[in-house]
Amino acid sequence: MANINKTSGNALRAQVAGAGFAGLTAAIALRQNGWDVTLHERDSELRAFGAGIYLWHNGLRVLEAVGALDDVLLGSHTPPTYETWMQNKSVSKETFNGLPWRIMTRRHLHNALVKRAKEVGVEIRVNSEAVAADADGRLTLQTGEVLEGDLIVGADGVGSKVRDSLGFEQDRWVSTDGIIRLIVPRKKEELGDGEWDNTIDMWNFEPRVQRILYSPCNKDELYLGLMAPAADPRGSRVPLDLEVWVEMFPFLEPCLSEAAKLESARYDKYATTKLDSWVKGKVALVGDAAHAMCPALAQGAGCAMVNAFSLSQDLAEQNSVEDALSSWENRIRPITDRCQALSGEYAANRSLSRGNMFTPAALEAARYDPIRRVYSWPQ
Ligand code: FAD
Ligand code: 5PR
């Protein structure tokens, strides 16, 4: 099969907007395949936004493919089990039949990808905000500069300007539950007896709906997700209303006290975006720009990374960029669509509270191996 990277006299050029997990992955994967890549980040610094993150087999395989896995494994954690509690009693412990998964801080994952992008020679520009793109392969920056590319990647997140400048049809909605996400010290000794290396998804419906997703990232750092309905003023207050959280989860007091000190905490509702198409001519949308989803299955970044890496595969196999983008969307999008739908359903029904909800369907995206293009780890 013709390889568009090899048949052209000069290297092809990609302009990638957004240095989040999606943009960094796309940039590295393209660069590894011989593309010249410029990665544009709006912020003045390269940094990860948010607290902790789960990656599963699919995302970990992408890290392997882009040469960042070893750095990510060092200083991240796989809990012995994924435990679910209801009203402070354990209802399930899941191990996914050995399917690999991992928890880490967002900063840790982002640093590893930035390091790798620099290593392979991605040109990174900060203070470089994209405001528009066109299907023929141009990216316009806030400064008015117009850059040409054989490929434009819109990886500029849920509020994507690249996407919105091109007029994609979209459905967008936000959830009724939201979450405060924080990184705090583990305080394992102070928590006393208990299986504190597990993920513990602690649900309480009585006397109020409050949930804590307890996620150890490494020996020092703990990711806490504190969920309450947006309509609950105390549960959704930031900085944290310590009293209302300690009352419900007294055994986590040492960690919650640390959490309450964090002035910069935010309460976020979940955004979902669904588009008629992810591509237009030479422009491809990846990550939250294309498919922001509820986090119940912890797959937004995992799918983003799979899709960004898979894009580089199709571009290496097709005769034109336009053909590659449409075959890419056809082959890879259904996995994300199904994951987004089920994640949305789980969030709306608070299904994870029942325990044992990581069914084969729920783990479909996680089981995908983007390198071999097959599902691994039968459930
Ligand atoms: P972003 O992370 O939003 O990155 C976009 C980047 O582009 C940013 O650096 C931004 O500054 C930059 N940018 C924005 N606009 C412009 C512009 N115009 N020009 C240039 N640069 C621009 N996913 C998982 O896989 N596992 C989880 O455990 C998980 N937990 C989650 C928990 C919650 C509560 C939520 C809300 C989401 C969770 N996700 C999880 C989803 C995951 O966070 C996102 O899907 C992922 O971060 C999307 O990455 P992205 O690169 O597409 O977008
Ligand atoms: N899983 C993860 C997560 O971060 C959230 C959820 C599930 C890893 C939210 O923070 O169900 O909301 C969820």
Side-chain angles (χ1 to χ4, degrees):
M1 207 181 288
N3 178 334
I4 51 180
N5 300 321
K6 306 267 161 60
T7 50
S8 122
N10 296 313
L12 293 166
R13 171 158 292 280
Q15 305 287 349
V16 180
F21 302 130
L24 282 163
T25 304
I28 300 165
L30 289 165
R31 182 74 198 125
Q32 287 187 155
N33 281 359
W35 287 69
D36 285 335
V37 183
T38 308
L39 177 59
H40 301 270
E41 170 54 47
R42 178 182 59 185
D43 281 358
S44 56
E45 276 175 65
L46 294 172
R47 63 173 165 221
F49 192 76
I53 191 156
Y54 286 57
L55 287 184
W56 304 77
H57 166 255
N58 58 333
L60 295 170
R61 282 292 270 172
V62 173
L63 291 176
E64 190 180 337
V66 302
L69 183 63
D70 290 345
D71 278 343
V72 168
L73 292 181
L74 207 71
S76 59
H77 174 65
T78 302
T81 76
Y82 190 118
E83 193 169 357
T84 302
W85 292 1
M86 171 56 81
Q87 301 292 145
N88 298 338
K89 275 185 40 201
S90 184
V91 292
S92 69
K93 289 185 176 180
E94 295 172 85
T95 51
F96 320 120
N97 195 29
L99 181 80
W101 62 298
R102 202 96 183 146
I103 309 176
M104 65 210 69
T105 65
R106 285 181 182 248
R107 178 164 27 88
H108 184 71
L109 176 60
H110 198 261
N111 284 347
L113 288 171
V114 168
K115 177 178 163 208
R116 185 64 185 152
K118 289 180 175 165
E119 239 167 54
V120 299
V122 171
E123 187 199 335
I124 304 180
R125 288 206 206 170
V126 293
N127 291 314
S128 187
E129 180 177 0
V131 292
D134 75 49
D136 295 334
R138 272 180 293 273
L139 184 71
T140 304
L141 304 181
Q142 173 69 33
T143 55
E145 191 181 355
V146 179
L147 300 163
E148 310 252 329
D150 301 283
L151 168 72
I152 308 293
V153 178
D156 47 346
V158 65
S160 173
K161 292 195 172 169
V162 169
R163 176 194 64 211
D164 292 344
S165 71
L166 285 163
F168 288 92
E169 292 272 323
Q170 52 183 298
D171 270 349
R172 300 177 71 160
W173 62 96
V174 291
S175 59
T176 50
D177 289 343
I179 194 150
I180 303 164
R181 291 174 282 170
L182 307 152
I183 300 288
V184 296
R186 293 262 329 243
K187 304 263 172 186
K188 201 172 146 185
E189 300 300 313
E190 291 170 49
L191 293 182
D193 282 350
E195 294 174 58
W196 299 117
D197 289 337
N198 287 347
T199 276
I200 313 179
D201 193 358
M202 306 166 175
W203 290 83
N204 281 317
F205 287 160
E206 299 295 335
R208 292 176 302 277
V209 176
Q210 267 174 258
R211 166 193 179 197
I212 293 185
L213 182 63
Y214 169 100
S215 314
C217 294
N218 53 49
K219 68 179 180 28
D220 302 315
E221 293 169 300
L222 172 67
Y223 165 35
L224 289 180
L226 295 92
M227 194 200 81
D232 172 357
R234 291 194 71 187
S236 56
R237 183 176 305 156
V238 284
L240 224 66
D241 185 332
L242 187 58
E243 191 183 70
V244 87
W245 287 100
V246 170
E247 191 185 320
M248 194 81 96
F249 303 95
F251 44 86
L252 285 186
E253 223 240 68
C255 302
L256 290 169
S257 301
E258 294 291 330
K261 293 182 195 159
L262 300 171
E263 292 288 331
S264 62
R266 290 194 344 185
Y267 176 85
D268 295 304
K269 292 202 255 177
Y270 311 146
T272 301
T273 312
K274 193 161 167 108
L275 305 185
D276 60 339
S277 163
W278 291 355
V279 307
K280 208 161 263 187
K282 294 181 193 290
V283 181
L285 301 177
V286 296
D288 280 5
H291 55 70
M293 64 175 79
C294 287
L297 297 176
Q299 273 292 346
C303 286
M305 290 164 64
V306 164
N307 297 341
F309 170 71
S310 301
L311 178 65
S312 76
Q313 293 175 315
D314 287 279
L315 284 161
E317 289 165 5
Q318 300 288 329
N319 289 311
S320 76
V321 168
E322 288 86 342
D323 287 352
L325 298 198
S326 73
S327 75
W328 164 72
E329 181 173 1
N330 283 336
R331 97 176 157 89
I332 210 73
R333 178 168 175 166
I335 303 172
T336 299
D337 281 349
R338 286 191 289 271
C339 185
Q340 183 188 46
L342 192 57
S343 242
E345 216 177 288
Y346 272 27
N349 300 318
R350 300 178 178 146
S351 308
L352 288 172
S353 65
R354 298 206 285 271
N356 285 320
M357 289 305 283
F358 285 93
T359 60
L363 288 172
E364 184 202 354
R367 283 164 40 228
Y368 185 66
D369 177 344
I371 300 177
R372 293 175 50 237
R373 307 184 202 189
V374 296
Y375 290 98
S376 302
W377 303 91
Q379 295 298 298

